[in-house]
Amino acid sequence: MRYRPISPGVLAGELTERIDALTGRRRIAVAVDGAAGATETTELADALVDPLRLRGRAALRVSARDFLRPASLRFERGRTDPDARYTDWLDLGALRREVLDPLADDGSGDVLPSLWDAERDRATRAERVPVPEGGVVLLDGELLLGAGLTFDLTVHLWLSPAALRRRVPDAWALPAYERYEAEVDPSALADVVVRVDDPRHPALYTP
């Protein structure tokens, strides 16, 4: 792969332009995918909000971590099972039903920004937020690609194997990310791939 060094600010600017150029949909869904705790998915998604709003685009932030299953289901095979993290932690059905389906051209446009507080292990009881036509939902999280979720633009924050081992805070979860790389190959699926071995100095993949 060939990568072009890019500053975080310029990266946010280029992604904003790319999102703003998307047409043909009433509302836009953008995914920022990367290993939790080791890639700055939250920071990058946050950095896109104000630039999009300056262009007249309503922007709503949603995090996949607010759509995890209850602890009784996530930890059914223990708290440190990498296969469970890969297949069972994220409530894909709820994320599809409450966030992505409403963005469809025939959808209501009313998005639930959060469903489950994983720390307190209870529902957040959040209220739905209307996303107007031309609006953008920016979703960050891990293991989002290849799971049947529909997005208009996908950004994958990629780590080399050495950086992945060095930076993932939950060492027990490494097999989940390695499986994701081997089975899904998110870099091949994503519209935009950014190497973030050093988050201060990202590099944009150029085919």
Side-chain angles (χ1 to χ4, degrees):
M1 283 187 169
R2 295 173 295 173
Y3 288 92
R4 168 169 59 92
I6 189 170
S7 71
V10 172
L11 174 62
E14 291 192 8
L15 289 175
T16 298
E17 290 182 4
R18 186 155 180 174
I19 295 168
D20 194 39
L22 293 172
T23 59
R25 288 290 306 275
R26 294 178 63 191
R27 303 172 185 88
I28 301 298
V30 176
V32 181
D33 172 71
T39 55
E40 284 66 26
T41 58
T42 299
E43 290 81 353
L44 179 55
D46 286 347
L48 299 174
V49 172
D50 287 343
L52 284 168
R53 288 175 177 169
L54 287 174
R55 290 173 178 252
R57 294 266 198 172
L60 175 65
R61 281 285 289 110
V62 178
S63 290
R65 66 176 176 271
D66 293 323
F67 285 83
L68 297 181
R69 290 190 170 97
S72 60
L73 299 177
R74 294 201 316 279
F75 303 143
E76 190 172 8
R77 290 181 280 175
R79 290 179 173 269
T80 58
D81 187 298
D83 289 327
R85 182 151 178 173
Y86 185 74
T87 60
D88 299 337
W89 277 32
L90 183 60
D91 191 338
L92 293 169
L95 195 56
R96 187 180 298 110
R97 181 181 65 251
E98 307 293 356
V99 178
L100 299 176
D101 286 353
L103 301 179
D105 288 345
D106 59 351
S108 67
D110 295 332
V111 169
L112 189 68
S114 66
L115 177 65
W116 196 258
D117 184 332
E119 291 187 4
R120 298 182 179 182
D121 199 32
R122 66 185 187 187
T124 61
R125 301 188 183 279
E127 295 188 1
R128 295 185 179 276
V129 176
V131 178
E133 290 197 22
V136 180
V137 169
L138 300 159
L139 171 71
D140 78 282
E142 65 173 12
L143 311 172
L144 296 177
L145 306 185
L149 301 176
T150 301
F151 300 102
D152 299 288
L153 183 75
T154 54
V155 181
H156 176 61
L157 303 186
W158 182 79
L159 291 168
S160 66
L164 185 67
R165 291 191 296 271
R166 184 176 68 250
R167 297 187 56 202
V168 166
D170 297 329
W172 63 266
L174 277 170
Y177 297 121
E178 292 166 352
R179 181 178 171 187
Y180 185 51
E181 188 73 22
E183 295 183 3
V184 174
D185 192 4
S187 294
L189 292 181
D191 299 300
V192 179
V193 179
V194 185
R195 182 168 181 164
V196 290
D197 285 6
D198 183 345
R200 299 166 299 177
H201 303 287
L204 185 65
Y205 171 60
T206 55

